[in-house]
Amino acid sequence: MELLYALFICLSLLVSTAKGLWPIPRNLETGNSFIKLHNSFKISLDGNISRPPQDLLDAIERTMSFLRNDKLQRLVVGRGAADRGAIGSASALQKLLISINSDDIKPIGEEAVKDVLQRNEAYSLSVPADGGGAVIRAETTLGVLRGLTTFSQLWYDDGQGVTYAFGVPVNIENDSPAFPYRGFMLDTSRHFFKVDDIKRMLDVMSWVKLNMFHWHAVDSQSFPISIAEFPEVAAKGAYSSQETYSTDNIQDIVSYAAARGIDVLLEIDTPGHTAAIADSHPEHMACPFGSPWRTFAGEPPAGQLRLASAETTNFTTSLITAIAKTLPSKFFSTGGDEINLNCYANDSATQADLQRTGRTLEQALNDFTQSTHGALRTLGKFPVVWEEMALEHEVDLHNDTVVMVWISSQHVAAVAAQNLRIVHAASDFFYLDCGAGGWIGNNPNGGSSCAFRSWQQTYTFDPFANLTQEQHSLILGGQQLMWTEQTSPENLDPIVWPRAATSAEIFWTGATLPDGSPRNVASALPRLHDIRYRMVQRGINAIALQPEWCALRPNTCDVNA
Amino acid sequence: MELLYALFICLSLLVSTAKGLWPIPRNLETGNSFIKLHNSFKISLDGNISRPPQDLLDAIERTMSFLRNDKLQRLVVGRGAADRGAIGSASALQKLLISINSDDIKPIGEEAVKDVLQRNEAYSLSVPADGGGAVIRAETTLGVLRGLTTFSQLWYDDGQGVTYAFGVPVNIENDSPAFPYRGFMLDTSRHFFKVDDIKRMLDVMSWVKLNMFHWHAVDSQSFPISIAEFPEVAAKGAYSSQETYSTDNIQDIVSYAAARGIDVLLEIDTPGHTAAIADSHPEHMACPFGSPWRTFAGEPPAGQLRLASAETTNFTTSLITAIAKTLPSKFFSTGGDEINLNCYANDSATQADLQRTGRTLEQALNDFTQSTHGALRTLGKFPVVWEEMALEHEVDLHNDTVVMVWISSQHVAAVAAQNLRIVHAASDFFYLDCGAGGWIGNNPNGGSSCAFRSWQQTYTFDPFANLTQEQHSLILGGQQLMWTEQTSPENLDPIVWPRAATSAEIFWTGATLPDGSPRNVASALPRLHDIRYRMVQRGINAIALQPEWCALRPNTCDVNA
């Protein structure tokens, strides 16, 4: 009996540690051999790629740099030394060939900002055990990038400078994501993050094949985004002149992201969450800095755009147009969460505007939204909104609109019933800020408004829960979200990583593992450890998930192990 | 009414931002003036200090370095620029004089490792507004260090290189701690921390006047402490040879701590939590790596010292003696938590030992403990234990023993009833690891075993709850604890700081503020922000407590503000 149990443990170790791939490819065949990386290993482009885009060459160089510098020793007892025997007799891989089946090869940066439904991220990868060449095949440079990312996750260090892979041959046939939208949201208003902090997040996103950076750029606390036609808004609404993103910074972030296969979805939250605009444009603001704040807003300071005012509607539409037109993405978010009705009820200007035009507040909100969304459509973009715009207001949303469900995953079905496209962002599964205590100052309990969302809890999310088969195509994907009331550059890495990689696998791999079994936390954990330790090797302060003793002994710290 | 409210806010701002001192001195008088630091500002020693200890000179140099490099701008709207007008006409402070009223001046490092009841940390500090000299008076170098720490917290930067203080004159008469033991515990077994990580924690501890580093050095997962007479234990029980503390490392940590006014209380947890010894000494181990682990231990791997064995008792006593004798502290912990009875019930060697000697397990545990504690007393040290040794077992603890209450603060009274000395370490107030999700691998909920302990929750702790007046003297103090199942160097700073400063104020300042009012979270928060931002300026990745908008506007993010 004990022998059988030991055998079971050994077998499950073999399977569960066979790869450190995250997200795990949808198709994956592996062997039992080891190979070394040859000293003169090269990544080369197929002959038909006569003028390779620079961002493809950069992606190759980054991959080479990872192979040289990751120095990740395998997570087993004895670490790299445990594999030295097997490595000794292994063949050496001399080359990885990249082949792109296309007559019109475009830069990664162009492929990455297409409509998500038109992005082609598929790739195939084969790594032989006999020293023959490895091959990545794709139809786009974006697909090649995904293949390179997978390839770079295969390699370990033996502690003596030998880089090797195990579980070869590896054969991945036509791996492509289950969902086109796989995101991460960062709030740069409650705390400011330097361009380098954002780039570091984009780096890690690309390592786990996330492809949408939802930039919740502004909010009531600060307005760090500089907009060329409206310089006064950031000048007065940012925390300081050092805590702003110049137009050059924004373009830098957008192109850095695109070269890494990531599209930037910028959000200018309206009409609520806008108090930071009051410093420059008090004429557009209802209940600015109203006190006590709880009467007028979910979070201080209070202040909402005077949505019933024609001037404010024009101002907002112009502001959004001014920034949206500079961005390549097909998506732009106008926000729309947590509109406080009491604020408008107490704003005499808004009440006068409503009375004069004979509209209800909801009618005015619809007009306001049609104006901003119309402007986005003129720019060829899809509007993105928070769920309240679909579920709590009388706004006529066109069915090109993308709705982010945040309050509860239980609200997804109601949005789908309106035939609107959906991004999963529900607080009950995807909020990274939950559980860190409350930010309200004089609360002696200091309680959190929501409990910590462990990676396990997130990982068990079902994207199709409560939906009919016909509604499945409405689900674009999902994202984890980093609200920053209590997060600043100082703790950004560990609060985000590796947890935000969880949704990367949910939405790339889908419901089942390559062998057809359901995704599950027990088999995911060893791979998540692996990518976390790899992140640390690459300089990211990703948090530990278990004692190192457990990380070195897959599944030994499971219950009943 | 609104005017009155505004006046109230203004007044409370004046009071609450008058100082960034943490912990706040027990006596504090402040004025309303500003002073600048003179370009040639110096800290000098009184003439009677003919041969100043090197660690005092080092502490002075560190203080000078903070004055030069902190560059902390005050947490108000406009930051440093907001004070430039007031600074313009301020006097310049040219000198701080240090005076020690003693015929026998000893190094800080010697004062810091005395019995806590004999340590003298008292100091007085006066900083005039007129440019005359500031003065620190103390009876020991340790007191001077505390005074220098307070002094260094007075200074801000105006954003243009001017270093200034506000709220002067400052007069602090005979500030000394309410409790002699103010600690922080770090577990270096679940994850290894480099010497530099530990030194960084010691630095921050000294900035908030914490004086005991409880080093939970070893546990079942790894044994990183190298002990000269028993090199095999770390050689086989550490995660790797890189993840060990050499005897030189240990001495380095101890002297680094002492020079900063911190005593190192080392713990070798026994007889449970010792599986890491099984790799080198299987002969001393009951239920090593027993499976399923939950049957034999609270956390994998299982394994406990064979406490009924004379050989194991000798081995353990020798091991503890070998390390304890190299340490200057008067305190040493033998642990004693979470002894698993089932492990011993299933260990045939233990059962045979018990039968042969005609003892119960509890009698054997008493003999085992008398042996280790007797050895510590021979070395002139007080044994420290976890609460179970007092409350759950039949061990005869001498009343020099210090008991750490960890399971629940409700257990303090029962320990006090035994007339044993107490360090508060209760999980319901002081555990820094709580709330980060569970570390068990295959639990789909991934739930935490305990909820996040916010600083507010910790801050409201009452050290004398449920005790009689006569029992108050049993309370030595308390500490926050960092168990590291899910903490590694990558997230150490933000999970510890500034939260672990909370107990620094509880146990230094005591129940009341200098003006006699009770300590409270609303008035503490602006000061805690201040010390947190100062930590960040000094390179510590301390976590943010509120949106920056709130940090710049004291009490504005309170409920009802």
Side-chain angles (χ1 to χ4, degrees), chain B residues 248-504:
Chain B
D248 282 354
N249 290 155
I250 297 165
Q251 290 305 317
D252 184 22
I253 288 168
V254 166
S255 61
Y256 189 92
R260 283 152 186 80
I262 299 166
D263 187 19
V264 178
L265 159 58
L266 192 78
E267 176 185 356
I268 302 288
D269 201 352
T270 62
H273 289 271
T274 43
I277 299 176
D279 296 312
S280 55
H281 290 279
E283 71 278 15
H284 295 310
M285 199 62 45
C287 70
F289 311 109
S291 175
W293 57 265
R294 275 210 164 168
T295 314
F296 300 106
E299 198 170 319
Q304 299 185 157
L305 289 167
R306 283 178 165 149
L307 54 80
S309 150
E311 291 77 15
T312 300
T313 302
N314 286 341
F315 164 78
T316 308
T317 304
S318 301
L319 186 81
I320 284 174
T321 300
I323 182 70
K325 74 181 182 192
T326 71
L327 303 171
S329 181
K330 303 289 283 183
F331 299 89
F332 191 97
S333 175
T334 59
D337 56 322
E338 298 187 310
I339 299 176
N340 184 297
L341 301 180
N342 186 54
C343 170
Y344 290 126
N346 283 276
D347 183 54
S348 54
T350 296
Q351 294 307 314
D353 281 329
L354 292 176
Q355 204 158 14
R356 191 171 54 248
T357 56
R359 296 178 301 170
T360 64
L361 185 73
E362 289 297 333
Q363 289 169 332
L365 174 61
N366 187 46
D367 292 344
F368 177 89
T369 306
Q370 297 310 330
S371 176
T372 56
H373 285 196
L376 290 173
R377 278 189 199 95
T378 300
L379 294 170
K381 295 183 195 296
F382 302 119
V384 180
V385 294
W386 295 111
E387 65 169 277
E388 291 99 315
M389 297 297 279
L391 300 180
E392 297 185 11
H393 298 289
E394 297 163 20
V395 173
D396 180 27
L397 296 176
H398 298 212
N399 68 2
D400 64 347
T401 309
V402 176
V403 179
M404 291 187 167
V405 176
W406 70 276
I407 297 174
S408 167
S409 58
Q410 296 299 313
H411 298 177
V412 168
V415 177
Q418 295 187 30
N419 203 32
L420 293 165
R421 301 195 292 175
I422 290 165
V423 167
H424 288 295
S427 57
D428 45 337
F429 283 89
F430 297 116
Y431 270 28
L432 295 164
D433 63 313
C434 284
W439 51 263
I440 292 178
N442 57 347
N443 174 4
N445 300 317
S448 303
S449 61
C450 48
F452 183 82
R453 311 306 186 205
S454 67
W455 78 267
Q456 296 98 323
Q457 197 178 342
T458 305
Y459 194 73
T460 53
F461 180 77
D462 173 6
F464 294 141
N466 308 318
L467 298 179
T468 66
Q469 183 77 36
E470 295 71 42
Q471 292 172 329
H472 287 190
S473 64
L474 294 172
I475 303 297
L476 294 184
Q479 64 185 17
Q480 280 163 280
L481 304 92
M482 186 73 257
W483 299 107
T484 60
E485 280 83 355
Q486 298 180 301
T487 287
S488 57
E490 285 70 31
N491 71 310
L492 184 62
D493 287 15
I495 199 168
V496 170
W497 305 111
R499 274 195 300 156
T502 314
S503 53

Side-chain angles (χ1 to χ4, degrees), chain A residues 5 190-191 221 239 243 289 291-294 299-301 435-446 452 454 456-457 460 485-486 488 490-491 494 521-522 525 532-533 536 540-549 556-561, chain B residues 5 190-191 221 239 243 289 291-294 299-301 435-446 452 454 456-457 460 485-486 488 490-491 494 521-522 525 532-533 536 540-549 556-561:
Chain A
Y5 182 73
R190 273 63 177 240
H191 279 98
Q221 286 76 10
Y239 282 131
E243 291 162 294
F289 311 108
S291 174
W293 57 265
R294 274 210 163 168
E299 199 170 318
W439 52 262
I440 292 177
N442 57 346
N443 175 2
N445 300 317
F452 183 81
S454 68
Q456 297 98 322
Q457 198 178 341
T460 53
E485 280 84 355
Q486 299 180 302
S488 57
E490 285 70 31
N491 70 312
V521 295
L525 179 53
R532 177 263 170 186
Y533 275 81
V536 171
I540 305 302
N541 286 326
I543 202 167
L545 302 171
Q546 286 191 312
E548 184 166 317
W549 193 89
T556 306
C557 295
D558 290 358
V559 182
N560 299 325
Chain B
Y5 181 73
R190 274 62 178 241
H191 279 98
Q221 286 77 9
Y239 283 131
E243 291 161 294
F289 311 109
S291 175
W293 57 265
R294 275 210 164 168
E299 198 170 319
W439 51 263
I440 292 178
N442 57 347
N443 174 4
N445 300 317
F452 183 82
S454 67
Q456 296 98 323
Q457 197 178 342
T460 53
E485 280 83 355
Q486 298 180 301
S488 57
E490 285 70 31
N491 71 310
V521 297
L525 179 53
R532 178 262 170 187
Y533 275 80
V536 171
I540 305 302
N541 286 325
I543 203 167
L545 302 170
Q546 287 191 311
E548 185 165 316
W549 193 89
T556 306
C557 295
D558 290 358
V559 182
N560 299 325

Side-chain angles (χ1 to χ4, degrees), chain A residues 150-204:
Chain A
T150 301
F151 182 78
S152 79
Q153 292 178 355
L154 294 172
W155 300 93
Y156 298 86
D157 184 83
D158 77 340
Q160 295 185 339
V162 176
T163 303
Y164 68 97
F166 66 102
V168 290
V170 168
N171 194 37
I172 296 169
E173 197 61 47
N174 197 31
D175 185 27
S176 69
F179 295 87
Y181 184 117
R182 306 176 309 282
F184 165 67
M185 191 211 79
L186 181 66
D187 161 12
T188 60
S189 173
R190 273 63 177 240
H191 279 98
F192 180 79
F193 296 83
K194 292 199 171 76
V195 171
D196 281 350
D197 293 318
I198 293 177
K199 286 183 174 177
R200 197 171 69 251
M201 293 299 104
L202 293 167
D203 285 338
V204 191

